Amino acid sequence: IIDYNKDDFTKIARDMDAVFDTVGGSVQSRSFDSLKPGGRLAWVAAGEAVRPAKALCTERRVIGSPTACGPPYAGGTGRP
């Protein structure tokens, strides 16, 4: 278990296949940094507006929800 309030989870959890974010805000934006290219991020809380999810999906080449990341879902990879 990683306490995200105490530890920098992006340095502990690297190249993850999937992250499920239930916190949102800056935690969601930082969660992208823990994913490997092609990884999947699922969330139930809104992220911060500073780093929009669509840009992060493209930048990190990860798969997010179609409504947040836009088609083709995976930041341009074409994978659903």
Side-chain angles (χ1 to χ4, degrees):
I1 297 174
I2 300 170
D3 181 348
Y4 73 92
N5 288 310
K6 200 169 64 171
D7 302 313
D8 183 356
F9 68 89
T10 64
K11 293 184 178 169
I12 298 169
R14 302 290 308 160
D15 296 322
M16 304 300 293
D17 292 314
V19 172
F20 183 66
D21 169 38
T22 60
V23 178
S26 66
V27 171
Q28 183 190 103
S29 295
R30 292 176 23 231
S31 294
F32 282 92
D33 296 332
S34 290
L35 292 167
K36 68 181 183 180
R40 295 175 184 255
L41 175 62
W43 60 85
V44 295
E48 62 184 345
V50 176
R51 295 175 69 192
K54 187 172 183 177
L56 286 166
C57 290
T58 302
E59 173 188 317
R60 298 287 299 158
R61 297 189 327 260
V62 299
I63 298 166
S65 74
T67 54
C69 292
Y73 307 114
T77 66
R79 289 181 291 149

